[in-house]
Amino acid sequence: MRPIRIALTKGRLEKNAVGLFERMGLDCTQLIDKGRRLILPVGPYEAVLAKAADVITYVEHGVCDLGVVGKDTIAEHDTGEFYEVMDLGFGRCRFALAGRKGEDFYSGYAMKTIATKYPNVARAFFEKKGMDIRIIKIEGSVELAPLLGLADAIVDIVETGSTLKENGLEVYETVCPISARVIVNMASLKLRKSEIESLLDRMEQAGASMEA
Ligand code: PRP
């Protein structure tokens, strides 16, 4: 049988994930010195480096048993085809509704336009408020949209708040908090239960916190 495979989100969450593996006592030498390799041994496990949304795809399809991915990506691609089992506590930031400083977003009756990289998250947020909005999908630097007059506001990730501040924007409302989570393939959790549970136990002991 192949080793238990963990899909890791490349980039921002990577360093913290490696730190977690090290605290778990796993040998991360190859993962740290990976060059351009995408599949690396980590102790008895195998780490797969992928873009956030692809982490979900690989786990859903069962070619990776577990994944480390931000709640932002999970919220946007919530297919219900995997289990979210643990909050890793790192990669903390939030989704926020933001726009030009000093403007009253909720004033007026005209339909609002929201620019975002996360259309599902934005739609769900305004649906809860019973507000009809128009969404424009933007791929990055979403802050540009209200500055250029394309949108009334954005729904985006805010970490330190400096991107907003340096561009004359401000948070109108927090949508929800974000942090890195562990997701598990549904079949793997049944078929390789003891291996996966012992891995999750080790993660928890190394400082992550189990979610209900
Ligand atoms: C994210 C997000 C904001 C920024 C927030 O963008 O979309 O632009 O980080 O961080 P801050 O509150 O600390 O300033 P990212 O850097 O991932 O790039 P992107 O704009 O291309 O999505």
Side-chain angles (χ1 to χ4, degrees), residues 29-50:
T29 338
Q30 298 208 46
L31 184 58
I32 292 165
D33 195 17
K34 62 181 188 298
R36 302 292 294 173
R37 280 182 300 163
L38 299 170
I39 304 180
L40 294 311
V42 175
Y45 310 114
E46 211 165 67
V48 171
L49 293 169

Side-chain angles (χ1 to χ4, degrees), residues 12 117 139-143 156-163:
R12 288 190 192 202
K117 231 168 126 172
E139 293 300 329
S141 301
V142 180
E143 294 84 358
D156 196 26
I157 292 172
V158 176
E159 193 179 351
T160 61
S162 21
T163 311

